[in-house]
Amino acid sequence: MERKRSSELWQAANRVLAGGVNSPVRAFKGVGGDPFFAVSGKGAYVTDADGNALIDYVLSWGPLILGHAHPHVVEAVIRAMEKGSSFGIPTENEIRLAEKIIAHYPSMEKVRLVNSGTEATMSAIRLARGYTGRDLLIKVEGCYHGHADALLVKAGSGLTTLGVPTSPGVPAPYASCTLTMPFNDLAAARALFREHGDRIAAIIVEPVAGNMGVVPPAEGYLQGLRQLTRESGALLIFDEVMCGFRVALGGAQARYGVTADLTVLGKVIGGGLPVGAYGGPAAIMDLLSPTGPVYQAGTLSGNPLATAAGIATLEALEQPGVFESIAKKTGDLCAGLWALARSAGVPVFQTHVGTMACLFFSTNPVRNYADALQADTQRYARFFWTMLDSGIYLAPSQFEAMFLSAAHGDVEIEKTLDAARKAFASC
Ligand code: KE4
């Protein structure tokens, strides 16, 4: 597949942008080779700088659940833009978007809109620490919550020792307030609470992990975290930036029946424009400035264009049958891929939750990050490139998710399965 123009742009990008990108995963380091450049998107397709139309299963890393340039979203953003792009003064759309979120997430009595998932998780953690008066945070290995200092942490020497930074620039003391534990391991969580219980402000977890590939919670896992946090006075923070409105209209909380104390959202609620949000009971949220002492602010938070895109996206998504149709197509695609892998003798472990899925090139089940790391990333990379050359754009990393949209139809599923038949035979 011709990528001459993308190659020229990649050279230019590397002259002026750090790493040639504005977010690392876009550089394709997870699969080797150079990224293509996108010039437009419509429905299930993204068109690159060389005019190749690709069926898009990344969808901007999740936000585009309606597909690219959905008419309802485009119209809403144009209408908003014609009235002005930003005011820094309250606007009605901020209320409307918050009301829509709360309608699907009853655990959220109040919401604060911000500009990214990172900003939302960082702020939710500060609020949890302010509300509990405690410092320690527990995060799960392999879960990603954005790039705030407290979250760029890996386990110290032992399971219950305090965390150490995963990135230069994060002072050790910042990391030392974060503990880590494996996903789907309640014994590890109990050990941390035995050791540090009354110092733990919160657990933050992706209730359906999406950043180690897609890994669902084990039976009873989320309920166990809920019980541990309730018993200890720590808060349970569900980072639903990725799985929110993707694993169910009410996210993981609706799907698994576990209510978080604070919920973090992003991606889908912005419909492709920059929006993050966090929310919970008024008793906690009212601690936020200006009503309370926990400070958090943002020039463009609740921006009129972003809230217009988010409202339009949720309006279309909540139409009867839309979500269910996307989830069914996701299941159909997964079943087809699994059957093709089996018949080609390629060992895969597949996960599928709602409208997101993952194909691990692994001979073993994947229940946590350590399992995910056993996957054959080289084989995934070969599969990725063969699929891309056939016009199918999958996540450029084994440790990401496959997303579908309302625009992915039977034609796209068939094309994808045809390409996969060839890719499994040659990877
Ligand atoms: P942002 O700051 O990138 O908007 O959101 C951070 C974030 C928080 N929580 C979860 C569960 C997330 O998945 C993310 C961001 N996800 C990545 C993809 N796995 C975004 C892609 C990127 O980093 O460019």
Side-chain angles (χ1 to χ4, degrees), residues 2-179:
E2 174 64 46
R3 292 192 192 95
K4 185 172 177 301
R5 180 61 184 143
S6 281
S7 297
E8 290 165 358
L9 290 169
W10 183 234
Q11 305 310 319
N14 277 282
R15 287 194 289 274
V16 292
L17 292 167
V21 291
N22 288 304
S23 197
V25 73
R26 302 178 192 171
F28 278 26
K29 297 294 184 207
V31 289
D34 298 335
F36 63 85
F37 276 65
V39 293
S40 67
K42 188 66 183 162
Y45 294 81
V46 60
T47 298
D48 72 13
D50 294 276
N52 301 306
L54 309 169
I55 299 175
D56 185 356
Y57 288 101
V58 181
L59 295 171
S60 185
W61 304 97
L64 305 176
I65 197 163
L66 301 179
H68 290 275
H70 187 282
H72 187 53
V73 179
V74 171
E75 175 56 30
V77 174
I78 289 172
R79 277 207 311 274
M81 184 68 218
E82 287 167 344
K83 296 176 188 168
S85 61
S86 180
F87 303 100
I89 305 169
T91 59
E92 183 175 348
N93 267 355
E94 295 163 71
I95 303 167
R96 297 292 163 257
L97 181 55
E99 286 172 340
K100 276 202 168 297
I101 290 169
I102 290 167
H104 293 288
Y105 281 82
S107 63
M108 299 167 85
E109 288 179 332
K110 288 192 176 177
V111 168
R112 174 59 61 86
L113 300 176
V114 292
N115 301 282
S116 71
T118 293
E119 207 182 339
T121 58
M122 175 179 76
S123 307
I125 290 163
R126 181 181 308 132
L127 178 58
R129 286 172 162 156
Y131 177 77
T132 61
R134 302 177 180 182
D135 292 341
L136 297 188
L137 171 75
I138 298 177
K139 81 171 289 290
V140 170
E141 291 153 12
C143 284
Y144 175 69
H145 307 289
H147 60 87
D149 283 348
L151 294 161
L152 298 180
V153 171
K154 65 186 176 199
S157 55
L159 187 62
T160 63
T161 55
L162 303 178
V164 295
T166 57
S167 166
V170 176
Y174 286 29
S176 68
C177 285
T178 303
L179 296 151

Side-chain angles (χ1 to χ4, degrees), residues 38 48 50-51 76 103 114 124 127 188 205 249 271 282 328 348 364 400:
D48 72 13
D50 294 276
V114 292
L127 178 58
V205 63
L249 268 179
K328 180 181 180 307
V348 295
N364 305 310
E400 294 288 352

Side-chain angles (χ1 to χ4, degrees), residues 198-217:
D198 60 358
R199 297 175 54 214
I200 297 170
I203 290 181
I204 185 166
V205 63
E206 291 180 68
V208 175
N211 285 284
M212 54 177 97
V214 177
V215 180

Side-chain angles (χ1 to χ4, degrees), residues 298-389:
T299 301
L300 296 175
S301 296
N303 172 271
L305 309 190
T307 51
I311 291 165
T313 297
L314 296 184
E315 280 173 345
L317 184 61
E318 59 200 13
Q319 292 308 306
V322 172
F323 180 88
E324 293 75 9
S325 163
I326 306 167
K328 180 181 180 307
K329 282 180 281 188
T330 308
D332 294 347
L333 177 66
C334 288
L337 289 172
W338 193 81
L340 288 170
R342 290 267 298 178
S343 58
V346 176
V348 295
F349 179 79
Q350 191 167 62
T351 55
H352 163 219
V353 190
T355 67
M356 51 197 273
C358 185
L359 197 64
F360 289 99
F361 281 69
S362 171
T363 50
N364 305 310
V366 177
R367 304 274 187 254
N368 58 34
Y369 190 46
D371 293 346
L373 291 176
Q374 302 305 312
D376 184 340
T377 53
Q378 296 306 312
R379 194 164 204 178
Y380 178 82
R382 294 194 294 273
F383 183 78
F384 169 86
W385 283 107
T386 307
M387 292 293 273
L388 189 64
D389 288 339

